[in-house]
Coordinates of all heavy atoms in Angstrom, one line a residue:
L1317 N -52.7 11.1 21.9 CA -51.6 10.3 21.4 C -50.7 11.2 20.6 O -51.1 12.2 20.0 CB -52.2 9.2 20.4 CG -53.2 8.3 21.0 CD1 -53.9 7.4 20.0 CD2 -52.5 7.4 22.1
C1318 N -49.4 10.8 20.5 CA -48.5 11.6 19.7 C -48.3 10.9 18.3 O -48.9 9.9 18.0 CB -47.1 11.7 20.4 SG -46.1 10.2 20.3
S1319 N -47.5 11.5 17.5 CA -47.3 11.1 16.1 C -46.9 9.6 16.0 O -47.3 8.9 15.1 CB -46.3 12.0 15.4 OG -45.0 11.9 16.1
K1320 N -46.1 9.2 17.0 CA -45.6 7.8 16.9 C -46.7 6.8 17.1 O -46.7 5.7 16.5 CB -44.5 7.6 18.0 CG -43.2 8.5 17.8 CD -42.1 8.1 18.7 CE -42.4 8.4 20.2 NZ -42.8 9.9 20.4
A1321 N -47.7 7.2 17.9 CA -48.8 6.2 18.1 C -49.6 6.0 16.8 O -49.9 4.9 16.4 CB -49.7 6.8 19.2
Y1322 N -49.8 7.1 16.1 CA -50.6 7.0 14.8 C -49.8 6.1 13.8 O -50.3 5.4 13.1 CB -50.9 8.4 14.3 CG -52.0 9.0 15.1 CD1 -51.6 9.9 16.1 CD2 -53.3 8.7 15.0 CE1 -52.6 10.4 17.0 CE2 -54.3 9.2 15.8 CZ -53.9 10.1 16.8 OH -54.9 10.6 17.6
A1323 N -48.4 6.3 13.9 CA -47.6 5.5 13.0 C -47.5 4.0 13.3 O -47.1 3.2 12.5 CB -46.2 6.1 13.0
T1324 N -48.0 3.6 14.5 CA -48.0 2.2 14.9 C -48.9 1.4 13.9 O -48.7 0.2 13.7 CB -48.4 1.9 16.3 OG1 -49.7 2.4 16.5 CG2 -47.4 2.4 17.3
L1325 N -49.9 2.1 13.4 CA -50.8 1.5 12.5 C -50.1 1.1 11.1 O -50.3 0.1 10.6 CB -52.0 2.4 12.2 CG -53.2 1.8 11.5 CD1 -53.6 0.5 12.2 CD2 -54.3 2.8 11.5
Q1326 N -49.3 2.1 10.7 CA -48.5 1.8 9.5 C -47.5 0.7 9.7 O -47.2 -0.1 8.8 CB -47.8 3.1 9.1 CG -47.4 3.1 7.6 CD -46.7 4.5 7.3 OE1 -46.1 5.1 8.1 NE2 -46.8 4.8 6.0
R1327 N -46.9 0.7 10.9 CA -46.0 -0.4 11.3 C -46.6 -1.7 11.3 O -46.1 -2.7 10.9 CB -45.4 0.0 12.7 CG -44.3 -0.9 13.2 CD -44.0 -0.6 14.7 NE -45.2 -0.9 15.5 CZ -45.1 -0.8 16.9 NH1 -44.0 -0.4 17.5 NH2 -46.1 -1.2 17.6
L1328 N -47.9 -1.8 11.8 CA -48.6 -3.0 11.9 C -48.7 -3.7 10.6 O -48.6 -5.0 10.5 CB -50.0 -2.7 12.5 CG -51.0 -3.9 12.7 CD1 -50.4 -4.9 13.8 CD2 -52.3 -3.3 13.2
Y1329 N -49.0 -3.0 9.5 CA -49.2 -3.6 8.2 C -48.1 -3.3 7.3 O -48.2 -3.3 6.1 CB -50.6 -3.1 7.6 CG -51.7 -3.5 8.5 CD1 -52.5 -2.6 9.2 CD2 -52.0 -4.9 8.6 CE1 -53.6 -3.0 9.9 CE2 -53.0 -5.3 9.4 CZ -53.8 -4.4 10.1 OH -54.9 -4.8 10.9

Side-chain angles (χ1 to χ4, degrees):
L1317 304 171
C1318 80
S1319 57
K1320 297 187 291 305
Y1322 290 94
T1324 57
L1325 192 51
Q1326 200 178 27
R1327 184 188 68 174
L1328 178 66
Y1329 295 115

